[in-house]
Amino acid sequence: MSVIEDSIQPPPYKIVLLGESSVGKTSLVHRFTSNTFDVHIANTIGAAFITKLYTSHSDANRKVKFEIWDTAGQERYRSLTPMYYRNAKVALICIDLSNFESTFHTAKYWIQQLELNNSSNADDKPIEIHLIGTKYDLVQSQTTPKISQEDIETKVNELIESHGNIVKFHTTSSKEGTGIVELFEDIVVAIDDDFFKSYYDKAQSETDVQGGPIGSILNARHAATSGCC
Amino acid sequence: MNINDTNALNYQISPFITNLSLSEDELISTTTTYESNVYIGTTKGIILHYHHFDDVPEYILISQLQISEMPITRILILPVSKRVVVLAGRIAQVYSLPELSPCHIKRMKDINDIALLRIENQPDSILVLSPTKVRIIQLHGEQIKIVREIHYTNAIAGDSFNPANLIVIADGSNYDIIDIEHNRKIPLFEYRTDQEVSPILTSFYANDTNQSELLLTISSDVSTAIAMFINGTGDVTRGTLTWVGEGYPNGGVVIEWPYALAIFNSEEKSKLVVSSLESLDITIAMNLSDFKQSERIEKNEAIETDKHYSINKLDKFLSIEDVSVKHLLSTKDRNGELTQPLSRITTDILIHNQKEIWSIHKTNPIIEIHNSFMHALETENFEEFLKKDISHLAEESKNYAIHLQFLAVLHSKMDNILTFALKQYLNGPIISPKLVLHLLGGSEYKYDKVFVGLEKIIEDWKDEPDLELLKRYITALPSQYWTPELRRAYYRNATESEVLEFFKKDSFWNSYDDLNKELIELFITKSLSGAILEAYETLFEHDNDNRLQIASLYANILSEDLSRKHIHTAIKLLGSNTLTDKDYGKLLLEVIRVDKDKGVEFMRSKAAKRYNDINRAVTKELSDSSKGFAILSIELLESSFLEDTENQEIFDELLETISTTMISSTVCSEEAEASYDLLLREYEAINSLEKDKWPKISWLDFVSISGKSKDSETLFVLYLKSFELCWVKYHKYGKVYTTPDHKLFQYHQFIAQPNIEKLLAFHDYSNAETVAIINQLALPKQTFYFPKFTPEQKKIEEQQVQQSLLGIFKFYLKLYEEERKVEPAIEHFVETYSKSHISPVDLLEIIPNSFPLIYLLKFLEHAIVDLKSSSRETNIRKVVTKSESSRIKKLYQDFLTV
């Protein structure tokens, strides 16, 4: 990364978390943004917005500012959710591995909704979906799980095969902090090089202009003239 | 804005969002709205995002976004581009609507204020005020485009006309007009003297001059402020608005034509001052407080508050819950549970202090209507109230108003009470039938739900119940809305004819439930027998689950007081095959009592087989007094018996019944006895031994044939039946039936004791001869019950037969000797029995010599032929025997010689 690029804010990258209530969306975000975990976390009301600068462990040039919309899973707020995933690059659809059946059902609902509303994205690129299996620690502690790991994998794989925009299935535990950094690392690594290039090219051209952002604006204008009054 | 009196406006201040999630030291700094969203900026740099969901009345917090560390001073909505510019800490940032995602547009720094300009064909133009420049910018994608830039020092506030050819800017002390087309600045005036105040520029559309105007505030001194009005050409449009002694409107000024609403905050209090733009006078001055409920904008006493209030006008109307009518339109049920009204209103004026937000909106017309009603109630004059037009009201308000109208006409005892009481909406009656019942029927009837605004009025209602009106109301009300209380009330207060008429509409008589049981009890208490029967009949028809129980009750009621009118009903019930034996019998007896013919006809043709025993018992009970029942009883018994002829119990009962019936006065009347005697005489005559017709008819066959032609046919049929049964009883079961001691049973004695002499005396010669041969009577040719039964024949010694026959013969001869003309009888006897039982010689020996041979010719001829034949046979036998003897003898000799 160049010196100039160092002085430029990393590109924003919008992510939305979707899924049934209490699947652990907020815990996942907290573990990622502040590396904390609280068992007694309150239900999210409407939606919460969090940003996080993140640099890829494998490639320091891949640095983004994650803009994360953590949506409420409760039915009451479903009608609002489209306004949060609009223009998002990635949707993290969460499934509670310790309560697989019902949360998987809701996950399928959100996949359908995203497919229906993809056209609203500004760049017309379909939103990438990552399926997130949460609470893996609970599954490991269950002596008689309701559904076997094999069955979970089978169902998830079937879902992935039938929906082209599902990128990957990740197994995570916010409590133990496993799989979460890997998830976001995967997201950053998968971003097109063109995304970074176009962003920095544009920012560079603006920075080159004397006077900073406002100066850039002033230079770009044509119609405005300086008043004398 | 209408003023209804000098101290109040038809406007309300209503709580809007008063439970904000603010930290203790966090205050509201600005508010704005977009569609169903409300954005509240705070001094902590947070925007609270509230949203209205269609299914709940209030706005709900859906996100809290930390925008800045500095207070949010402006949230500027760009509705066309669906963006919002947030100014905090002099930095403006752009977000997307409605969720407030960051837009990747450069932040604008060092900004004093921003405002939306209304430039034709250039929507969402923003006026950006900075310490050195005034700019007009637009957002194009992720770029900011500067449309105009004007050097201007320390612009701190600005607004424009619509359309915005001119803008007005305020710096630290002055207002200036800026001609954006020509980049000219026209100084207006100073807005302050020594006091530090913020300039206020409020654009509005003046309805009287039909143009866009701008209100500009000026602080005259510490206690007085004024407002100037200019139009888009910079001309003054109206006189000066003066707020003497109120201070400066530091909480803002908005225009709600034709009034200006200004808020004055001082250290002691906050005040809303409403001034007329037409008269330029102050109309209302109202002190502000933390209103917990909707308050009318009206003059009030000073209230101290340290809160700072602000007022702002929205670009678009916002739909909000109308809390101003909660105290009227909420409904309360018997448990005290409140249901909030759905009523919503629109508002475009918000007012907030540091912690709470209210709305200012027009007073819901239902409040005025309610007040008008209360006034009318006080003055006992509803004329003006009833003239009020309620057609424009929203549904809930209209329903409330109809309740008021109903109360008004009810209290005034007008003719059209039911018109109001019965008004309906999609979901049924507008006024709850239970409430009408309470008002018309009395307080003993409880209503279940009522508008809160009516609760006290109804509780205090003193009018006397009007039961006749109540009945008319219930009758007119569609039956699906009849509550149990309504039905109870109607039946309780109705006459029997009204009850019976009501039954035609009352479809709730379809189940024998607790209420219907209670109503029947009520009918019983009121002795409404017709209603009771109608109730049971209807229930019997419709409630299949409880049919048997109802049938029993129904039958009992019918049995208790059956009239000819209900015969058909009773017979229908009897034929339903649902009654117990006891109920059936009881009801049947009553039916017979009331209409014997119908009862008998029913038993004959429609009664179910399972009731045969009952039918028999009934008819038996009645048969003593009626031949018809006696016969019917026998018929019913026969019906049972013929199904099971081996049943000795029924056999005996049948025999007993027939025997008893035979000698009963109803069957064996004097006429019948005379017929019997006549028949005996006829039999004697027709069977006379002097007649040469043989064989003689037996008594039973004679009865069978001749009895039919007699008036007392019933008796003779029973006679024959009884005989057959006695005969079978004796010969089949070996039992002797003890007949009643009556002459009718004289002949029956011969069954067990076949006495030839007595038979001869009875003139039944045929059966006398039969008895002589087989020692038992013969049945008549026609039988009723046992056509195929043949008794076992007992072996009788021939000698006994001969003696019996000779006894009969001697009887005939005796008559002959008594000079009776019984020669044909003797002729018959010798011709009949000389071959089989008695030798001709024996007969000839006892026939008197004087007996004319003419009657013996055939007998003798046969006897001689028989003798000759016998002699010839004897001779042949002798010859053959002799010849055989000779042959054997010869054969023996031959054998000896061999």
Side-chain angles (χ1 to χ4, degrees):
Chain A
M1 186 177 282
S2 69
V3 177
I4 291 171
E5 284 180 346
D6 278 342
S7 66
I8 298 171
Q9 283 282 316
Y13 201 78
K14 183 173 176 179
I15 289 178
V16 62
L17 276 90
L18 303 169
E20 179 68 78
S21 179
S22 302
V23 292
K25 299 183 290 296
T26 304
S27 291
L28 187 146
V29 173
H30 283 189
R31 174 59 78 184
F32 175 60
T33 57
S34 59
N35 198 23
T36 56
F37 178 77
D38 180 0
V39 179
H40 304 293
I41 198 162
N43 274 343
T44 304
I45 296 169
F49 182 71
I50 309 100
T51 58
K52 165 89 174 172
L53 285 173
Y54 182 81
T55 306
S56 168
H57 299 316
S58 58
D59 181 356
N61 287 329
R62 291 183 167 269
K63 191 173 180 181
V64 292
K65 180 187 179 189
F66 281 123
E67 296 178 346
I68 303 168
W69 278 106
D70 173 20
T71 65
Q74 290 168 296
E75 190 94 11
R76 144 69 57 217
Y77 300 105
R78 274 195 182 179
S79 62
L80 297 176
T81 309
M83 73 183 180
Y84 295 115
Y85 62 64
R86 189 163 55 96
N87 294 327
K89 305 282 187 199
V90 169
L92 306 181
I93 298 181
C94 298
I95 302 162
D96 181 351
L97 294 174
S98 67
N99 180 22
F100 183 80
E101 289 294 348
S102 72
T103 57
F104 184 67
H105 182 76
T106 308
K108 287 197 279 191
Y109 166 81
W110 284 120
I111 290 166
Q112 286 174 346
Q113 290 299 307
L114 289 173
E115 287 174 345
L116 285 171
N117 296 294
N118 252 345
S119 58
S120 64
N121 276 359
D123 56 6
D124 274 346
K125 283 184 78 173
I127 192 167
E128 287 183 358
I129 296 172
H130 289 252
L131 290 178
I132 315 298
T134 61
K135 306 185 188 179
Y136 185 62
D137 53 292
L138 290 182
V139 178
Q140 286 179 309
S141 65
Q142 283 176 342
T143 48
T144 52
K146 291 177 192 166
I147 182 167
S148 68
Q149 281 301 305
E150 291 74 24
D151 287 345
I152 288 176
E153 281 172 22
T154 304
K155 285 177 183 262
V156 167
N157 287 336
E158 283 172 1
L159 192 64
I160 291 173
E161 282 168 19
S162 58
H163 296 275
N165 49 347
I166 301 178
V167 177
K168 193 177 174 183
F169 176 61
H170 307 260
T171 303
T172 66
S173 166
S174 297
K175 185 178 181 183
E176 295 177 349
T178 53
I180 295 169
V181 174
E182 291 83 345
L183 160 65
F184 287 94
E185 177 70 16
D186 275 358
I187 292 170
V188 172
V189 168
I191 296 172
D192 275 351
D193 288 340
D194 287 348
F195 173 80
F196 290 102
K197 188 171 184 305
S198 64
Y199 174 79
Y200 283 115
D201 285 352
K202 189 175 164 190
Q204 185 77 53
S205 67
E206 289 171 0
T207 310
D208 286 346
V209 180
Q210 195 176 4
I214 295 294
S216 166
I217 294 164
L218 291 175
N219 284 335
R221 70 192 171 94
H222 301 291
T225 55
S226 217
C228 60
C229 50
Chain B
M1 187 175 287
N2 300 316
I3 309 169
N4 72 338
D5 58 53
T6 53
N7 292 320
L9 297 182
N10 275 332
Y11 272 71
Q12 302 280 130
I13 296 180
S14 299
F16 176 38
I17 302 175
T18 53
N19 57 344
L20 275 78
S21 302
L22 298 174
S23 58
E24 196 173 336
D25 57 345
E26 186 177 18
L27 309 176
I28 298 171
S29 55
T30 185
T31 61
T32 193
T33 63
Y34 171 70
E35 294 178 342
S36 299
N37 304 281
V38 175
Y39 303 97
I40 301 164
T42 76
T43 52
K44 292 277 189 184
I46 291 171
I47 292 181
L48 305 174
H49 181 183
Y50 281 79
H51 181 81
H52 174 240
F53 294 88
D54 290 338
D55 57 343
V56 285
E58 69 272 18
Y59 281 72
I60 294 173
L61 178 68
I62 59 169
S63 67
Q64 302 180 71
L65 300 173
Q66 184 75 50
I67 299 295
S68 166
E69 297 301 322
M70 303 300 287
I72 308 287
T73 52
R74 188 75 68 191
I75 303 171
L76 188 69
I77 299 293
L78 308 177
V80 176
S81 56
K82 290 191 169 55
R83 308 276 180 96
V84 59
V85 185
V86 180
L87 182 62
R90 300 176 61 78
I91 294 172
Q93 298 180 79
V94 183
Y95 296 84
S96 62
L97 283 176
E99 84 285 9
L100 305 186
S101 286
C103 290
H104 307 123
I105 296 175
K106 293 288 183 188
R107 296 188 297 176
M108 293 175 279
K109 295 177 181 173
D110 205 18
I111 306 297
N112 288 337
D113 201 0
I114 50 178
L116 191 66
L117 291 182
R118 297 164 189 85
I119 302 174
E120 269 186 332
N121 303 321
Q122 296 182 47
D124 292 352
S125 294
I126 309 164
L127 180 67
V128 181
L129 308 175
S130 65
T132 57
K133 292 184 177 66
V134 171
R135 298 191 183 99
I136 298 172
I137 65 167
Q138 290 171 349
L139 301 179
H140 288 195
E142 295 190 350
Q143 298 294 324
I144 295 173
K145 180 186 174 188
I146 297 178
V147 182
R148 285 280 187 279
E149 183 176 79
I150 301 151
H151 289 294
Y152 189 98
T153 305
N154 197 27
I156 57 173
D159 204 344
S160 64
F161 297 93
N162 186 16
N165 296 320
L166 297 177
I167 56 175
V168 177
I169 303 292
D171 61 11
S173 59
N174 283 293
Y175 291 115
D176 298 308
I177 293 178
I178 307 291
D179 181 347
I180 55 176
E181 287 297 317
H182 305 94
N183 286 335
R184 287 188 303 143
K185 180 174 95 173
I186 307 161
L188 282 175
F189 39 77
E190 274 190 313
Y191 62 83
R192 72 182 183 97
T193 51
D194 295 334
Q195 194 191 0
E196 280 291 331
V197 294
S198 299
I200 297 172
L201 307 91
T202 303
S203 62
F204 66 96
Y205 187 82
N207 286 9
D208 55 353
T209 58
N210 292 323
Q211 62 180 341
S212 178
E213 293 187 28
L214 205 57
L215 175 152
L216 304 168
T217 57
I218 301 162
S219 171
S220 299
D221 55 44
V222 176
S223 62
T224 305
I226 61 171
M228 300 283 287
F229 299 89
I230 60 170
N231 62 14
T233 58
D235 297 327
V236 175
T237 55
R238 59 189 78 231
T240 308
L241 193 63
T242 311
W243 294 293
V244 179
E246 303 291 356
Y248 185 78
N250 49 6
V253 181
V254 299
I255 304 298
E256 175 76 4
W257 187 262
Y259 288 91
L261 286 72
I263 287 183
F264 298 81
N265 295 299
S266 66
E267 286 185 2
E268 298 82 30
K269 62 179 184 285
S270 292
K271 186 185 278 186
L272 171 68
V273 177
V274 182
S275 310
S276 166
L277 294 181
E278 291 166 335
S279 67
L280 301 176
D281 292 330
I282 290 176
T283 305
I284 299 289
M286 180 186 193
N287 291 292
L288 300 174
S289 68
D290 301 344
F291 304 114
K292 297 304 176 199
Q293 59 185 29
S294 182
E295 299 283 347
R296 198 168 202 183
I297 295 181
E298 58 188 353
K299 187 177 180 182
N300 60 5
E301 297 300 317
I303 298 164
E304 285 194 14
T305 174
D306 59 351
K307 305 274 176 60
H308 185 97
Y309 286 78
S310 296
I311 189 166
N312 66 308
K313 182 132 181 164
L314 308 172
D315 287 330
K316 300 271 187 189
F317 279 96
L318 189 67
S319 168
I320 63 169
E321 182 186 10
D322 187 358
V323 295
S324 70
V325 292
K326 271 188 175 179
H327 68 295
L328 298 179
L329 302 186
S330 295
T331 51
K332 189 193 260 186
D333 63 19
R334 294 304 307 173
N335 301 322
E337 197 166 314
L338 284 171
T339 304
Q340 302 296 339
L342 299 171
S343 179
R344 296 188 75 76
I345 45 161
T346 55
T347 182
D348 63 348
I349 302 173
L350 295 183
I351 181 171
H352 69 85
N353 63 18
Q354 294 151 343
K355 293 287 186 182
E356 296 171 305
I357 304 172
W358 293 267
S359 70
I360 290 182
H361 58 88
K362 285 182 180 167
T363 301
N364 191 316
I366 195 63
I367 294 175
E368 196 275 325
I369 288 173
H370 173 84
N371 292 340
S372 171
F373 173 82
M374 295 306 289
H375 178 70
L377 194 60
E378 235 172 66
T379 58
E380 297 275 325
N381 181 357
F382 292 93
E383 196 176 336
E384 285 303 313
F385 167 74
L386 287 170
K387 283 181 186 166
K388 290 198 174 292
D389 177 19
I390 63 164
S391 61
H392 62 285
L393 297 178
E395 184 189 338
E396 275 177 317
S397 295
K398 191 185 282 183
N399 289 349
Y400 186 85
I402 288 169
H403 277 75
L404 293 176
Q405 287 178 332
F406 169 63
L407 292 171
V409 295
L410 182 62
H411 192 62
S412 311
K413 304 204 181 315
M414 293 184 179
D415 295 335
N416 56 347
I417 296 171
L418 292 187
T419 310
F420 289 93
L422 291 165
K423 280 195 174 177
Q424 294 215 19
Y425 193 62
L426 295 175
N427 302 325
I430 290 171
I431 302 173
S432 157
K434 285 187 176 179
L435 180 58
V436 178
L437 176 60
H438 175 81
L439 291 167
L440 298 182
S443 56
E444 63 183 287
Y445 298 106
K446 305 296 178 196
Y447 53 88
D448 55 353
K449 207 171 182 185
V450 68
F451 283 115
V452 170
L454 299 177
E455 194 178 15
K456 187 158 186 348
I457 300 170
I458 290 166
E459 278 178 7
D460 294 344
W461 199 255
K462 295 283 189 276
D463 289 3
E464 286 296 312
D466 188 340
L467 299 179
E468 286 307 311
L469 183 62
L470 174 64
K471 284 190 284 184
R472 277 167 47 213
Y473 165 74
I474 296 170
T475 310
L477 186 70
S479 62
Q480 67 262 37
Y481 304 121
W482 291 348
T483 62
E485 291 79 12
L486 281 171
R487 292 178 67 223
R488 195 179 286 124
Y490 189 91
Y491 287 118
R492 190 175 289 172
N493 296 297
T495 62
E496 179 147 36
S497 61
E498 285 173 334
V499 168
L500 293 175
E501 192 61 28
F502 196 67
F503 260 107
K504 294 174 187 168
K505 291 182 71 182
D506 189 352
S507 58
F508 293 98
W509 287 103
N510 56 3
S511 165
Y512 191 52
D513 54 25
D514 289 344
L515 176 60
N516 285 333
K517 285 177 192 169
E518 182 193 322
L519 292 175
I520 290 171
E521 284 300 316
L522 176 70
F523 299 155
I524 292 169
T525 308
K526 292 177 69 179
S527 302
L528 306 181
S529 56
I532 298 165
L533 291 174
E534 188 72 27
Y536 278 125
E537 180 170 6
T538 313
L539 287 170
F540 180 70
E541 290 292 329
H542 294 99
D543 187 354
N544 288 329
D545 294 341
N546 298 302
R547 204 153 189 248
L548 297 181
Q549 188 190 359
I550 296 163
S552 176
L553 293 164
Y554 186 21
N556 278 302
I557 292 290
L558 275 172
S559 303
E560 279 175 20
D561 186 21
L562 185 66
S563 65
R564 194 166 285 275
K565 191 170 73 175
H566 293 109
I567 281 290
H568 176 73
T569 307
I571 286 178
K572 198 169 161 191
L573 183 58
L574 287 170
S576 66
N577 203 11
T578 54
L579 295 176
T580 61
D581 291 356
K582 185 182 162 196
D583 295 334
Y584 176 88
K586 195 173 166 189
L587 182 58
L588 180 60
L589 278 171
E590 278 304 303
V591 168
I592 289 164
R593 184 185 61 77
V594 174
D595 191 331
K596 187 181 71 184
D597 293 343
K598 288 254 171 68
V600 171
E601 182 191 335
F602 164 74
M603 279 194 283
R604 283 220 166 89
S605 57
K606 294 174 189 162
K609 293 275 184 196
R610 60 172 274 216
Y611 296 120
N612 267 354
D613 291 344
I614 310 297
N615 292 339
R616 287 203 311 272
V618 168
T619 48
K620 188 174 179 183
E621 190 175 315
L622 296 167
S623 58
D624 288 342
S625 58
S626 167
K627 178 181 163 188
F629 291 128
I631 302 304
L632 179 62
S633 179
I634 292 167
E635 284 177 15
L636 295 169
L637 261 174
E638 284 175 337
S639 171
S640 301
F641 178 63
L642 289 172
E643 281 184 5
D644 182 12
T645 53
E646 296 300 317
N647 188 325
Q648 289 191 48
E649 197 178 328
I650 302 176
F651 181 103
D652 289 342
E653 191 180 347
L654 178 62
L655 176 54
E656 180 66 30
T657 306
I658 292 173
S659 303
T660 314
T661 305
M662 269 172 64
I663 57 172
S664 67
S665 58
T666 53
V667 173
C668 190
S669 59
E670 285 183 15
E671 292 81 9
E673 276 198 74
S675 291
Y676 175 74
D677 293 340
L678 177 64
L679 197 67
L680 277 176
R681 286 196 297 277
E682 286 177 353
Y683 181 62
E684 183 183 349
I686 202 169
N687 240 18
S688 171
L689 290 175
E690 294 175 9
K691 292 186 177 177
D692 65 350
K693 190 177 179 187
W694 282 93
K696 298 296 181 188
I697 188 167
S698 75
W699 164 243
L700 295 171
D701 284 334
F702 182 74
V703 172
S704 177
I705 295 165
S706 299
K708 286 176 185 171
S709 60
K710 293 287 179 291
D711 293 338
S712 302
E713 183 189 353
T714 305
L715 173 65
F716 298 122
V717 169
L718 294 178
Y719 183 91
L720 291 168
K721 285 180 176 175
S722 67
F723 185 88
E724 182 180 345
L725 290 171
C726 286
W727 189 87
V728 172
K729 185 176 178 73
Y730 181 75
H731 290 292
K732 187 170 184 181
Y733 302 118
K735 292 179 182 174
V736 178
Y737 174 65
T738 308
T739 57
D741 185 14
H742 195 279
K743 67 177 181 183
L744 287 174
F745 293 95
Q746 180 190 354
Y747 192 84
H748 290 56
Q749 308 306 318
F750 301 141
I751 296 171
Q753 297 165 350
N755 188 310
I756 293 171
E757 286 176 13
K758 288 181 179 176
L759 280 168
L760 293 173
F762 201 90
H763 310 290
D764 190 350
Y765 309 109
S766 178
N767 247 329
E769 291 174 8
T770 303
V771 168
I773 296 165
I774 62 173
N775 198 31
Q776 62 185 35
L777 287 177
L779 268 182
K781 289 185 172 58
Q782 184 199 350
T783 57
F784 295 93
Y785 309 114
F786 299 96
K788 294 177 181 173
F789 175 69
T790 309
E792 191 181 341
Q793 296 277 348
K794 289 180 184 171
K795 180 117 177 131
I796 304 172
E797 292 297 326
E798 182 58 28
Q799 190 180 357
Q800 188 186 336
V801 173
Q802 284 176 2
Q803 280 181 358
S804 298
L805 286 173
L806 282 171
I808 294 169
F809 192 55
K810 285 173 181 168
F811 173 78
Y812 296 154
L813 291 174
K814 187 175 175 241
L815 292 175
Y816 174 72
E817 285 167 359
E818 291 172 359
E819 298 185 352
R820 300 275 299 274
K821 305 283 183 191
V822 295
E823 289 85 352
I826 294 168
E827 183 185 19
H828 146 75
F829 192 89
V830 297
E831 284 181 5
T832 305
Y833 300 109
S834 63
K835 291 180 187 172
S836 54
H837 296 290
I838 306 173
S839 70
V841 175
D842 292 342
L843 289 171
L844 284 171
E845 275 180 1
I846 57 176
I847 294 172
N849 293 333
S850 58
F851 190 80
L853 282 176
I854 186 74
Y855 295 104
L856 300 175
L857 277 179
K858 202 171 181 181
F859 158 69
L860 293 171
E861 191 177 307
H862 283 148
I864 290 165
V865 169
D866 285 345
L867 281 172
K868 281 183 178 174
S869 168
S870 176
S871 172
R872 194 162 39 247
E873 190 181 351
T874 306
N875 290 336
I876 291 169
R877 193 172 288 120
K878 280 181 183 172
V879 170
V880 170
T881 306
K882 199 173 176 180
S883 167
E884 188 68 8
S885 172
S886 169
R887 194 177 63 85
I888 292 171
K889 191 174 177 182
K890 190 178 178 187
L891 188 64
Y892 177 72
Q893 287 175 348
D894 287 346
F895 180 74
L896 290 175
T897 57
V898 174

